[in-house]
Amino acid sequence: MTRPPPGLAETIATLAARGWRPVAAPMLDIVTCPLASYGASPPQAVVVTSSQAVAAIARPDLVGIPCYAVGAATARRARAAGFAHVRIAPEGTAQGLGRMLSAQIMPLAGALLLAVGQGYAMDLARDLRDVGFRVRRRTVYRVTRRRQLDRPGHEMLMAGQAAAVLFFSPRTAQAFMAALTPAQRLALAHVRAIVISERTARVLDAALWRSVEVAPTPDSIGMLSRLGAGPLSVGPFSDMP
């Protein structure tokens, strides 16, 4: 499991329940940045493209404002942090989020607060401005790559015990591939790569892997569906494809 917290623990618990022996191998570290200002007046909506942004914007002056989230996991964390009015992009993508905003709210009603990671969601901000929205894009976290696999992940890979590696973003996949030693790369020949999107798949060299498999939907449910049940699974999950 290469994704960073907070999604890491939740996904590991789900994998274990489905009969897998999950090993945490996060490839990114997340540093939250304080939200200094969002402008002279409150925004009409808060827009969140990743659950990593939620901690920085869960403030008393914002949680009562409608929150538009890119996917179900981000929406769950926004609700848990106190946001009372959360809506989810039906497609689970930034493009779908932009289309939902354009269809449901009016640019003249006020600015949008787009809470993002450093270097993220530039296209979304541009697309929203192109249709007339005032977008206050604020960096509320930054991401750094890890330079090598943690020992548990390394040992599982080199022992030939890794059945699959899960990638929830292109940046995570890039960090993983950049961290591999030549011996670790060779060990991928019998390992499935389960990826959240075609964009993530393009980061990986398919020739190195047993297979590179794209989730049918760009979210945790789609990822787990593509992975299927684990070898220790019994009961309802054992019939998953």
Side-chain angles (χ1 to χ4, degrees):
M1 263 305 306
T2 60
R3 75 186 310 191
L8 176 63
E10 177 183 334
T11 309
I12 279 182
T14 303
L15 288 169
R18 294 188 176 216
W20 292 98
R21 181 163 64 89
V23 170
M27 296 309 304
L28 303 176
D29 290 308
I30 311 297
V31 179
T32 298
C33 308
L35 177 63
S37 171
Y38 52 70
S41 59
Q44 67 159 317
V46 176
V47 183
V48 188
T49 60
S50 168
S51 61
Q52 303 291 354
V54 171
I57 59 172
R59 308 181 348 176
D61 55 338
L62 290 176
V63 293
I65 294 172
C67 176
Y68 289 78
V70 72
T74 302
R76 283 197 302 273
R77 294 198 180 98
R79 292 188 184 103
F83 282 92
H85 311 287
V86 181
R87 299 174 185 176
I88 308 171
E91 301 169 36
T93 65
Q95 293 82 2
L97 186 58
R99 285 190 286 271
M100 181 175 69
L101 288 162
S102 297
Q104 294 188 5
I105 63 178
M106 298 294 295
L108 294 178
L112 304 177
L113 172 61
L114 176 58
V116 299
Q118 186 176 43
Y120 286 89
M122 307 288 266
D123 290 347
L124 176 59
R126 182 199 63 229
D127 292 346
L128 289 169
R129 289 175 178 134
D130 285 348
V131 295
F133 285 102
R134 287 178 292 130
V135 180
R136 300 169 184 167
R137 183 180 171 277
R138 298 292 186 268
T139 296
V140 296
Y141 67 93
R142 55 186 175 84
V143 179
T144 59
R145 294 182 181 182
R146 295 196 180 184
R147 301 300 178 186
Q148 62 185 21
L149 294 185
D150 288 348
R151 180 175 292 276
H154 163 76
E155 291 178 349
M156 175 175 272
L157 189 62
M158 298 311 296
Q161 297 175 341
V165 181
L166 276 63
F167 296 106
F168 282 75
S169 73
R171 189 168 290 195
T172 304
Q174 289 168 347
F176 180 87
M177 297 307 298
L180 294 179
T181 65
Q184 289 168 342
R185 283 176 174 264
L186 290 175
L188 299 177
H190 302 289
V191 182
R192 299 164 64 198
I194 309 297
V195 302
I196 198 165
S197 65
E198 291 285 356
R199 184 180 170 203
T200 306
R202 289 194 291 270
V203 173
L204 304 176
D205 183 349
L208 293 175
W209 299 83
R210 173 185 165 187
S211 61
V212 176
E213 305 169 34
V214 181
T217 57
D219 51 28
S220 295
I221 293 173
M223 293 281 284
L224 294 170
S225 171
R226 179 61 67 202
L227 177 65
L232 305 178
S233 179
V234 294
F237 296 121
S238 61
D239 294 329
M240 290 180 63

